[in-house]
Amino acid sequence: MTWVSDYKYAWYEKLAMNVIRSGGHLPDHIAFVMDGNRRYATMAGIPKIDGHTRGFEKLAECLRWCLDMGVKEVTTFAFSIENFKRSKDEVDDLLCLAREKFTKLLQERAKLHDYGVRVRIIGNLSLLPEDLQFLMAEVMMETQKNNKLFLNVAFAYTSRDEITQAIETVITQEDHVLEESDINEHLLEQCLYTRFSTPPDLLVRTSGESRISDFLMWQLKYTILYFIKVFWPEITLWNFLAGIFSYQRASVRLEPFKRRQNTAEYAIITKTNSLELDRVQAFLKHLDMCKTEFLIKLRDKYLKPV
């Protein structure tokens, strides 16, 4: 199964998409909590891993819909750190499925380049088996120049861990570039896994659960939340479009507030003195270099012949 589906639209589906587009106020960034794979498997009388496999197939369809609706960024909650608490057999099956899908992604790299999809893995990669880390590093390096659709896959991720890692990054700086006065909300935000992402405009969660489950808690300040009472493998184009319509209705009221808040935040940043800005920029530049070197080392180890 490909990462981007060759979904065939019926004429009335194309019409519905055009109607939604004509309304304007489309989300640039959609986050998905892909919940309900196991319950779907139980309902369908199939093994749990088959439920997760069908969930991946549905993700491929959603990516197709997002591309065709002009969505620029998608973030998916694929594997929580809390998932390690499940049975060993289920965890092993999920990690094997991830290996299979990332290997498939590398095999169809030409298609991803054609679509302009850049894949970024957000999460604590050190918690994963080395061979899976290598695959993920290769995927990120392979697609790093694509810029039509950014796909952030949250794997071995929780918001609590993300914020903890950001704080540790600041307090364990090697060259002590930063001063105490440099440490603030803006700096911590730049140290999150989502440093190069915009905040989600719309978050969609399936399965009928109306909670966030420790996902992107820092980033959801202005996000519209949309909960669907179907399991993830059952989500349809109509559910997807209904979520966008819900965002359009809410964004009309939210946009003026967001503009005021963004203006206030920009004013705070501009008041920062140039010396402080230089220190912060030097720190972030070093941080980016370290992350890139880490990915290159992982990739080279993966590609190195035995």
Side-chain angles (χ1 to χ4, degrees):
M1 180 69 185
T2 181
W3 275 69
V4 180
S5 169
D6 294 321
Y7 188 88
K8 305 299 182 184
Y9 297 99
W11 68 266
Y12 48 85
E13 291 177 323
K14 293 180 180 179
L15 176 61
M17 293 172 73
N18 287 333
V19 170
I20 293 294
R21 285 194 200 96
S22 68
H25 297 283
L26 296 173
D28 288 324
H29 184 178
I30 301 180
F32 292 101
V33 179
M34 306 182 294
D35 192 24
N37 291 336
R38 293 196 300 171
R39 279 170 284 172
Y40 171 83
T42 299
M43 179 185 69
I46 59 177
K48 290 179 182 177
I49 191 59
D50 290 345
H52 291 297
T53 299
R54 295 189 186 182
F56 172 80
E57 293 170 357
K58 187 57 65 173
L59 172 61
E61 289 188 3
C62 279
L63 291 180
R64 174 80 269 170
W65 302 336
C66 288
L67 275 169
D68 293 338
M69 287 299 293
V71 175
K72 299 179 177 65
E73 188 164 6
V74 173
T75 300
T76 66
F77 202 179
F79 188 87
S80 169
I81 292 175
E82 296 297 315
N83 291 153
F84 283 113
K85 297 178 181 178
R86 296 180 180 179
S87 70
K88 183 179 183 304
D89 286 344
E90 184 174 359
V91 171
D92 288 345
D93 284 344
L94 286 169
L95 296 180
C96 284
L97 179 62
R99 291 185 184 94
E100 174 190 333
K101 299 309 178 185
F102 282 112
T103 300
K104 177 67 175 177
L105 186 150
L106 289 171
Q107 291 171 351
E108 60 178 25
R109 62 189 74 193
K111 188 173 184 180
L112 284 180
H113 291 320
D114 289 341
Y115 287 133
V117 178
R118 178 175 181 177
V119 180
R120 296 183 290 214
I121 314 300
I122 60 173
N124 193 338
L125 300 189
S126 65
L127 300 177
L128 300 172
E130 281 196 347
D131 63 320
L132 186 51
Q133 292 184 46
F134 305 153
L135 280 170
M136 291 177 171
E138 174 64 4
V139 165
M140 287 188 277
M141 296 299 294
E142 177 65 33
T143 63
Q144 64 179 332
K145 294 183 180 180
N146 297 339
N147 59 11
K148 185 175 181 181
L149 175 68
F150 295 94
L151 172 60
N152 307 311
V153 181
F155 209 100
Y157 173 93
T158 63
S159 284
R160 286 172 296 170
D161 177 75
E162 179 180 32
I163 295 169
T164 300
Q165 294 295 322
I167 294 171
E168 289 182 354
T169 296
V170 172
I171 65 177
T172 60
Q173 52 175 316
E174 295 179 358
D175 299 328
H176 302 287
V177 175
L178 299 174
E179 296 185 3
E180 183 177 342
S181 60
D182 300 330
I183 301 174
N184 52 35
E185 178 182 334
H186 177 69
L187 175 64
L188 285 178
E189 188 171 51
Q190 294 301 303
C191 294
L192 297 174
Y193 296 138
T194 55
R195 163 161 160 68
F196 296 105
S197 295
T198 59
D201 299 301
L202 171 66
L203 180 139
V204 176
R205 177 168 186 155
T206 53
S207 85
E209 298 288 349
S210 54
R211 51 192 172 85
I212 307 304
S213 297
D214 208 358
F215 180 50
L216 300 178
M217 296 297 292
W218 182 293
Q219 297 87 347
L220 298 180
K221 181 164 56 173
Y222 304 122
T223 303
I224 303 302
L225 308 181
Y226 186 70
F227 302 105
I228 309 174
K229 294 183 179 180
V230 298
F231 298 134
W232 174 253
E234 298 176 308
I235 190 173
T236 66
L237 175 65
W238 303 110
N239 299 132
F240 174 75
L241 294 179
I244 293 181
F245 180 64
S246 176
Y247 168 80
Q248 289 174 316
R249 293 178 59 193
S251 66
V252 173
R253 301 189 303 274
L254 187 62
E255 282 302 319
F257 173 74
K258 289 172 65 174
R259 284 196 295 270
R260 289 195 299 270
Q261 291 297 311
N262 290 336
T263 300
E265 291 173 5
Y266 179 76
I268 292 173
I269 293 173
T270 55
K271 288 181 181 178
T272 305
N273 65 63
S274 59
L275 184 59
E276 182 178 338
L277 281 174
D278 289 343
R279 290 194 301 265
V280 171
Q281 290 303 315
F283 170 74
L284 293 175
K285 182 178 180 179
H286 177 71
L287 181 62
D288 292 340
M289 288 176 57
C290 290
K291 289 181 178 179
T292 300
E293 290 173 1
F294 171 73
L295 291 178
I296 291 174
K297 287 179 181 178
L298 280 180
R299 182 198 61 181
D300 291 347
K301 186 174 181 180
Y302 169 69
L303 294 175
K304 184 178 179 181
V306 179

